[in-house]
Amino acid sequence: MDRSAGERNETGELLLRFRRWLDDPEASPGIIRDLIGLDNERLGEFVRLNTGAEMLSSIRTLLTRSRESLAGAPREAIALTRLATALGSCYFTADPQLDAAVEGDAWKAHADALLRAGDYSEADRACRQASSFYTLVDPEDCLYERTQLNVTEAKVAHFLGDAERALALAGTAAATLARAFPKKKKDYVRARTTFATILVADFQRYEEGLKALEECAELARRDGDTESLASLVNNIGQVYARIGKLTEAKECFTTALQGFTSLGLKTDMPRVHAGLARILMQEGRFNEAVSEHYMARAAYLDLRMPVVAAEVDTHIIEALFAAGRTRDIPALCALAVETFMTANLPREAAKALAYMNAAAQRGTLTTDKLEDVREFYQRLQADPDERFDFD
């Protein structure tokens, strides 16, 4: 048997395994990883073994399962959407607009998954890819999808520090959904919530933002949208914390955490722990704040978001400084190095962690140095090419 015939047999075996996965994801573990690993030639051969209808159905299944994974396993969602974009690039029909729409949908879903995982720079690139494909489709045929993409773009722009663009995108998306898709209430609430959150976080327009969030919460409550409601209660709690209404904020965070836990929304839980920790810091309950931060860090590690988890470490150390527990800091830093050795921490983030640990062991770690490391981690989340070059 020559090499090409052997490769064709291997590709056929991959197709059988993939079809089993389409019927039952548990029946064919590892197939997504194996397909992602194919080069362009082999992937094209794999696609040609399917009919056009079969491939379209497969891509749609990948996107559906990625959405189901977003809240609890964003890294799995990224793998699914990465495969969907790869298959989409090899999928051709007699209708070029359909082909472009399929690729746009795949890249939009990929952007959503990257956003959930905190890969903001990559999410921005995925948004641009999705947008470029949607420009090849009749605007009326992809208005809904393009509007959904605008919401994702708004969130990404917010995390990348482009507040004006973020607010404009979210506002436009909410207005379009209200006008053109009045029955898509959950999507409207999502867009309007994004708009209100940006008002609060980036522009400190607390009263206006809080009013919009409370209106959205009422809409979600009326429609029985428990997922959006839990997120909104958390966001309202964040506003209360910012304006000093700590009792109300804690009530919101407790309610939100119960909602997230019951719905299995793992990606939302760390924000609640972080919010509770900030309140505890304001109340001078530093040891309890440490505990909340540890829960947030564990959640981020479980979600395979190591840079965000490393940033939480700086908050833990800050709380120890505030509590006067400076003797505990060297041991915590040394343990953090061990913890992150198996967490796939990027090289530059590992350098920052090593810098912080070395300073702690020498007894020269200060709150100013801690803030420098924290700000670096934040920049790294927005730009993975950021370099750590502190002395």
Side-chain angles (χ1 to χ4, degrees), residues 211-224:
K211 181 180 178 182
L213 290 171
E214 289 173 339
E215 289 172 353
C216 287
E218 180 56 34
L219 286 173
R221 190 177 294 108
R222 194 182 306 155
D223 291 340

Side-chain angles (χ1 to χ4, degrees), residues 62-77:
L62 286 166
L63 299 186
T64 297
R65 290 184 181 167
S66 75
R67 286 193 296 272
E68 293 169 351
S69 300
L70 276 179
R75 292 295 170 189
E76 292 179 17

Side-chain angles (χ1 to χ4, degrees), residues 188-199:
Y188 170 77
V189 166
R190 175 175 173 248
R192 184 68 174 158
T193 299
T194 301
F195 179 82
T197 301
I198 293 167
L199 277 179

